[in-house]
Amino acid sequence: MADFCPSVPSSCDCFVSLPPASAAREVIFGKNSDRPKDEVQEVVYFPAATHAKGAKIQCTYIEVDQVEKTHAVILSRPAWLWGAEMGANEHGVCIGNEGVWTKEPVGEEEALLGMDLVRLGLERGRHAHEALQVITALLERHGQGGPCKEEPTPFVYHNTFLLADRTEAWVLETAGKFWAAQRIREGARNISNQLSIDVDITAEHLDLRQHARRQGWWNGEEEFSFTKVFSLVHQPVRMEAAKARYCAGRQLLQQHSGQITASTIMAILRDKASGICVDSAGFATTGSMVSVLPLDAHLPCIHFLTATPDPSRSVFKPFVFVPGITPFPQVQAPRFGDKDPIRESPRFQSRVDRRSFTGERHKIQECLQGLEQQGLEAMKNLLAGSFTPKPQELADLFVDCVNAELKFYK
């Protein structure tokens, strides 16, 4: 799609399009999850649930207080952890996160991962702003930290988030327990592995500016720019590479402004020239997601997930929240209980095979893309009211697409 030549990338990109950038009256969310190349990413569904008063929930490393009710969620996540790289809930909220490094030091002490905060926001937020409030409250109370890879050598980062619902989007950027947020009400926006909120700050940590003054990062007189104040003077290589991806992603959105559809975002996520679709020696795009959130609340939100690595060779399979979702164990990793390396002490001293299935790819690309196109056409007809599928057909939708794809691998 584009001719860009960034440095070798090693992390993620998130995108959102709102009218008038979108071709139709819909918000479109998309994300690539770029993770260690041999890491398994699974897609999991959790129904809405009620919980006992005073209950706790075990996240990846720490426990937090559980809430009385949690929303149904679909998640794409590294198979070894509790949280998620990206996902959506039954109310049409989508969230994705990115790793960043700032002037606030990252600590190896175990706390909440950014991926835990993605899941907690989806399970507890009925709209994007409420999910943001959930995340920031948990961040301020518990902090963020702990290994972000399934390896004994620590790999730790802080996080930025893109949150969207049917009416608006939010960019949330963090540095330790401190944060700033920007509301997006129209147009298109993207984030990569760098801070991007300048002076247009909609909400922030109550002590954000005072903390920056105490640290000597801001004199209190200049206009406060979150990016300028909290960004490292000397950026890590991976964040320098992210600048090129961020600029490339923004340019691709601008090129298609006013005509952006789900297919547009899928094509951007598949763009290897820009580095947005990653296939390097150490990191790769291990999962991708695109969601269509109609402004008309009577229409269903439709979420497309690959559940397989490399979107340039994968099929985006549709999922719709309805009662009685048919399970899809084919794209879920095996469980190891107390013998899982993350549950042993010390952690990550051994490796387990988390792959759910394997298969050689032959000359099936055209057939797979045809399968995806069928899903996109069905989405258009559904949102246009051309046909009304039976509830069970929607409940079976994602698993049917998974099974159809698997037949090509056999």
Side-chain angles (χ1 to χ4, degrees):
M1 287 184 63
D3 185 17
F4 304 102
C5 298
S7 303
V8 176
S10 58
S11 221
C12 315
D13 295 272
C14 274
F15 301 86
V16 69
S17 174
L18 300 85
S22 301
R25 289 177 48 78
E26 56 197 26
V27 175
I28 306 170
F29 170 93
K31 182 188 173 182
N32 271 353
S33 171
D34 303 334
R35 299 285 304 171
K37 197 163 190 174
D38 60 350
E39 183 180 80
V40 173
Q41 187 148 162
E42 62 179 0
V43 172
V44 291
Y45 167 78
F46 295 100
T50 57
H51 308 277
K53 186 176 181 179
K56 301 282 187 179
I57 180 65
Q58 176 67 52
C59 301
T60 301
Y61 297 122
I62 67 169
E63 281 188 344
V64 300
D65 293 333
Q66 183 58 285
V67 293
E68 183 179 347
K69 294 182 179 180
T70 51
H71 309 310
V73 295
I74 181 86
L75 307 173
S76 186
R77 68 180 188 182
W80 61 271
L81 53 75
W82 181 84
E85 276 275 297
M86 53 200 169
N89 72 19
E90 61 184 308
H91 301 293
V93 179
C94 299
I95 308 177
N97 80 306
E98 316 277 332
V100 292
W101 293 263
T102 70
K103 290 176 182 175
E104 282 294 312
V106 294
E108 296 179 21
E109 181 179 351
E110 294 180 349
L112 289 172
L113 294 180
M115 292 172 280
D116 293 335
L117 291 167
V118 169
R119 178 172 174 177
L120 289 163
L122 290 171
E123 289 187 336
R124 302 179 182 198
R126 293 182 65 91
H127 48 77
H129 186 232
E130 185 176 37
L132 182 145
Q133 292 175 313
V134 167
I135 291 173
T136 54
L138 289 165
L139 177 67
E140 292 181 17
R141 180 174 181 181
H142 299 285
Q144 56 182 323
C148 299
K149 289 201 299 186
E150 191 181 13
E151 295 180 359
T153 303
F155 176 67
V156 185
Y157 51 75
H158 292 161
N159 294 267
T160 67
F161 304 85
L162 183 61
L163 307 90
D165 59 25
R166 292 178 185 267
T167 62
E168 64 181 10
W170 287 81
V171 174
L172 168 63
E173 300 186 339
T174 74
K177 291 187 177 182
F178 298 96
W179 58 272
Q182 181 185 74
R183 179 188 279 126
I184 312 298
R185 287 178 167 165
E186 62 179 18
R189 182 74 151 83
N190 63 307
I191 62 173
S192 294
N193 302 98
Q194 59 176 347
L195 300 182
S196 63
I197 297 177
D198 192 21
V199 298
D200 184 11
I201 300 173
T202 310
E204 63 188 67
H205 187 288
L206 289 176
D207 196 37
L208 179 70
R209 302 185 190 216
Q210 292 81 356
H211 176 71
R213 290 192 68 175
R214 290 192 297 267
Q215 297 298 317
W217 301 336
W218 180 56
N219 60 19
E221 298 177 0
E222 296 178 351
E223 191 170 22
F224 185 85
S225 163
F226 185 74
T227 294
K228 181 178 178 181
V229 171
F230 279 86
S231 290
L232 289 165
V233 176
H234 302 290
Q235 299 276 9
V237 174
R238 66 183 73 249
M239 290 188 72
E240 286 294 336
K243 291 181 181 179
R245 293 203 328 277
Y246 173 75
C247 291
R250 183 175 59 185
Q251 182 177 339
L252 289 168
L253 289 173
Q254 291 172 347
Q255 287 175 4
H256 298 279
S257 183
Q259 302 297 322
I260 295 174
T261 64
S263 296
T264 308
I265 300 299
M266 289 177 186
I268 291 175
L269 296 181
R270 288 172 166 143
D271 194 283
K272 291 196 173 184
S274 64
I276 292 170
C277 182
V278 179
D279 187 11
S280 64
F283 269 61
T285 299
T286 57
S288 303
M289 171 180 165
V290 173
S291 293
V292 178
L293 317 174
L295 272 59
D296 185 345
H298 295 96
L299 296 175
C301 297
I302 303 177
H303 312 280
F304 295 85
L305 302 100
T306 59
T308 49
D310 192 343
S312 71
R313 299 183 294 154
S314 295
V315 174
F316 283 90
K317 296 168 278 291
F319 174 91
V320 177
F321 283 94
V322 292
I325 291 292
T326 304
F328 31 89
Q330 305 93 323
V331 292
Q332 295 169 16
R335 300 291 180 253
F336 299 92
D338 293 339
K339 294 183 179 180
D340 195 304
I342 194 175
R343 294 292 162 232
E344 296 177 341
S345 183
R347 302 188 197 274
F348 307 129
Q349 299 304 300
S350 61
R351 297 298 298 267
V352 292
D353 188 353
R354 301 188 187 277
R355 292 176 296 177
S356 53
F357 70 89
T358 58
E360 283 192 44
R361 291 181 179 269
H362 301 290
K363 296 180 180 179
I364 59 174
Q365 192 67 35
E366 186 175 342
C367 294
L368 290 175
Q369 296 304 322
L371 178 65
E372 177 179 291
Q373 191 60 38
Q374 290 176 27
L376 288 166
E377 289 299 322
M379 175 198 72
K380 292 178 183 178
N381 293 333
L382 175 61
L383 296 181
S386 300
F387 79 103
T388 304
K390 297 177 181 178
Q392 191 58 45
E393 290 177 326
L394 290 176
D396 295 340
L397 182 60
F398 189 76
V399 71
D400 284 348
C401 290
V402 169
N403 287 329
E405 183 181 12
L406 282 173
K407 290 179 181 178
F408 288 109
Y409 297 135
K410 294 180 179 178

